[in-house]
Amino acid sequence: MLTFLARRLGAGILLLLVISLLTFVLLSIPHADVGRALLGQSAPQAAVDAKNASLGLDRSVLAQYGDWLSHAVRGDLGRSWFTGEDVWSALGTRLPVTLSLVVGVTLVTAVLSLLLGVWAAVRGGLVDRCVQVLSVVGYALPGFLVTLVVVLVFAVRLGWFPAIGYIPFTQSVSGWLSTITLPVAALSVGAVAGVAQQVRGSVLDVLQRDFVRTLRARGLPPGRVLFRHVVRNASAPALTVLGLQFVGLLGGAVLVEQIFGLPGIGSMTVQYTTRGDVPVIMGLVMVSVAGVVVVNLLVDVLVGVLNPKARVA
């Protein structure tokens, strides 16, 4: 197991290095005159050149990346070129908002997908067809359309939840729940639709295996066979899809945060990318990729626990 974890962790670290290098190189391609953007169009060229030199932009891309990487491995992601704010401080105020959405959607998706998928696979017939239709419809609906409908119905017309804004968990638990309920619901529709179908297919596949028929022939209670043996063996593929959904949510949160006015990393990404603020963009990319690596590692560990054969892959 330790070798399995070390191999996965090494692959994650290598991914971080590759993504950071590619991102830094791509950000350097436009050759935007950052000094001019900071000092204004009327600033003398000598002052602009001096500003660019102070930011290290007069050096080669690889030299700039090496300097950034040497600081990043020590936990220093630098400061924003435009605001002077420490990147970690900026991320610290935005990251809890996005994590509230992503973790909330992941939990809702895991619970509802398991219930719907197992129910459809076991009951079959009309229940199975209804779940499949709902899954296809939920997966096909555009995310922005679902979000707008949720806002119009539950916030504007019914007034059950606020349409915009965010209340931190530390300030008010009930207020925090009220501000993330609609965003989580909007993001969960497509996620539940995709994972529920995977759960259904996996459960149906396991139900047809010989060991399940053997367990039933031995007289074990149906509930024990289903939840202790069938669901456990069928959960590995579903966990993989759930991990992929988590990765997709990091991108999908951008639109939802904009619509609901949430101060998360999604809206932060849009704001700082339009400015070309490289230190902040690099910090956002690294945090996002690190989150993907951690989630994939957790999924691999859980899959390895449920299916020991996966550890040799």
Side-chain angles (χ1 to χ4, degrees), residues 51-67:
K51 186 63 177 179
N52 287 330
S54 68
L55 296 175
L57 299 179
D58 57 335
R59 298 179 297 165
S60 67
V61 175
L62 290 180
Q64 296 178 48
Y65 173 75
D67 183 62

Side-chain angles (χ1 to χ4, degrees), residues 150-183:
V150 167
V151 172
L152 288 175
V153 174
F154 296 100
V156 178
R157 295 191 177 180
L158 298 179
W160 292 354
F161 302 96
I164 59 173
Y166 176 79
I167 299 177
F169 180 85
T170 54
Q171 181 176 335
S172 172
V173 176
S174 60
W176 172 75
L177 285 173
S178 67
T179 53
I180 70 166
T181 297
L182 291 185

Side-chain angles (χ1 to χ4, degrees), residues 89-251:
S89 299
L91 291 173
T93 59
R94 303 294 191 101
L95 193 57
V97 181
T98 301
L99 285 179
S100 297
L101 294 182
V102 174
V103 173
V105 173
T106 302
L107 293 176
V108 170
T109 301
V111 174
L112 292 182
S113 299
L114 179 64
L115 294 176
L116 289 174
V118 172
W119 188 35
V122 173
R123 292 296 297 272
L126 181 62
V127 172
D128 186 19
R129 288 192 293 272
C130 290
V131 171
Q132 289 191 64
V133 170
L134 290 175
S135 297
V136 172
V137 171
Y139 195 78
L141 286 174
F144 73 90
L145 180 60
V146 174
T147 304
L148 291 176
V149 170
V150 167
V151 172
L152 288 175
V153 174
F154 296 100
V156 178
R157 295 191 177 180
L158 298 179
W160 292 354
F161 302 96
I164 59 173
Y166 176 79
I167 299 177
F169 180 85
T170 54
Q171 181 176 335
S172 172
V173 176
S174 60
W176 172 75
L177 285 173
S178 67
T179 53
I180 70 166
T181 297
L182 291 185
V184 167
L187 286 171
S188 297
V189 173
V192 170
V195 181
Q197 282 285 68
Q198 180 63 53
V199 173
R200 171 192 171 274
S202 299
V203 171
L204 285 175
D205 180 65
V206 175
L207 286 173
Q208 297 173 1
R209 295 183 183 178
D210 293 336
F211 81 91
V212 175
R213 288 192 288 267
T214 302
L215 292 173
R216 289 173 173 173
R218 293 176 57 186
L220 269 68
R224 182 179 178 183
V225 174
L226 177 64
F227 292 104
R228 186 171 180 177
H229 299 280
V230 175
V231 173
R232 177 174 180 175
N233 283 273
S235 58
L239 280 173
T240 303
V241 176
L242 188 63
L244 294 175
Q245 290 284 1
F246 181 92
V247 175
L249 289 173
L250 293 176

